[in-house]
Amino acid sequence: SKQDLESGKIKNAWERLLRIRGVGPKIASLFLRDVALWYNLQEDLKQYKEERWRLQPIDIWIRRIVELRSPELKDKRYEDIAQWIVENCEKPEHCNQGMWYFGAKIIGSEFVLDRSLKDIVQFKNTIREHIARLQATSYAAMEFGRKMQI
């Protein structure tokens, strides 16, 4: 997969993954996106814009965020949502990861997502609260490690 991405054979890599039993478009895209990020191939992929959509896994959170940003994409195909990310994000694979994390791990509800994307103050507050929770959790883990002499 890495070699295919490096040489621009994104479609070949994606279709080969789809032949694996149980692997659909989202999982194939997820795997290829992570390969691209792991091996830092994003710069190489810029020249393959027409196929780069295959590196954008689309789940309910990604779909909701894109549809809130561009309502004309409501109920559009997987490929259309993925292509929107490629066309509207400077670093599509990072953007895709960030959108998923924001929706699935920070927001958690469609109502809060809608509110956060329409109100920059609410958005910033939501992010600040999440960062504070992450800091508290990491401090607790460090304290646990000290107590256990890890």
Side-chain angles (χ1 to χ4, degrees):
S1 293
K2 178 184 178 245
Q3 290 170 343
D4 279 346
L5 293 180
E6 287 173 326
S7 62
K9 298 177 183 170
I10 299 169
K11 183 178 180 182
N12 290 348
W14 194 72
E15 288 178 344
R16 187 172 52 254
L17 290 168
L18 290 177
R19 290 195 296 266
I20 298 171
R21 191 167 147 206
V23 174
K26 182 173 85 174
I27 298 302
S29 294
L30 177 69
F31 178 78
L32 291 175
R33 181 201 69 195
D34 287 354
V35 167
L37 290 170
W38 182 261
Y39 291 104
N40 200 26
L41 302 175
Q42 303 87 299
E43 200 61 39
D44 300 334
L45 294 169
K46 283 185 176 180
Q47 61 186 315
Y48 306 113
K49 196 172 183 178
E50 68 283 345
E51 290 298 326
R52 199 168 180 181
W53 68 268
R54 296 177 196 274
L55 278 69
Q56 311 305 318
I58 306 300
D59 76 340
I60 189 64
W61 290 110
I62 304 286
R63 182 174 284 282
R64 285 174 178 164
I65 290 169
V66 170
E67 287 177 356
L68 282 169
R69 299 289 299 143
S70 294
E72 71 277 5
L73 291 173
K74 185 123 177 93
D75 300 322
K76 289 291 187 175
R77 300 174 312 144
Y78 182 101
E79 181 179 341
D80 296 326
I81 301 292
Q83 190 62 42
W84 184 93
I85 296 169
V86 172
E87 292 170 2
N88 290 280
C89 299
E90 186 177 329
K91 296 181 177 182
E93 292 74 36
H94 287 283
C95 187
N96 182 284
Q97 271 187 335
M99 285 191 288
W100 177 82
Y101 187 85
F102 182 70
K105 298 297 182 184
I106 297 175
I107 295 297
S109 85
E110 190 172 4
F111 171 76
V112 178
L113 175 67
D114 184 57
R115 195 175 69 191
S116 293
L117 292 181
K118 290 180 178 173
D119 180 355
I120 191 65
V121 172
Q122 176 63 40
F123 178 84
K124 288 178 179 179
N125 287 339
T126 301
I127 297 294
R128 282 190 196 102
E129 290 167 9
H130 181 70
I131 290 170
R133 285 192 304 274
L134 289 174
Q135 287 173 332
T137 302
S138 66
Y139 293 142
M142 288 172 24
E143 183 61 26
F144 172 74
R146 276 195 288 275
K147 295 262 190 219
M148 301 301 292
Q149 297 178 344
I150 296 175

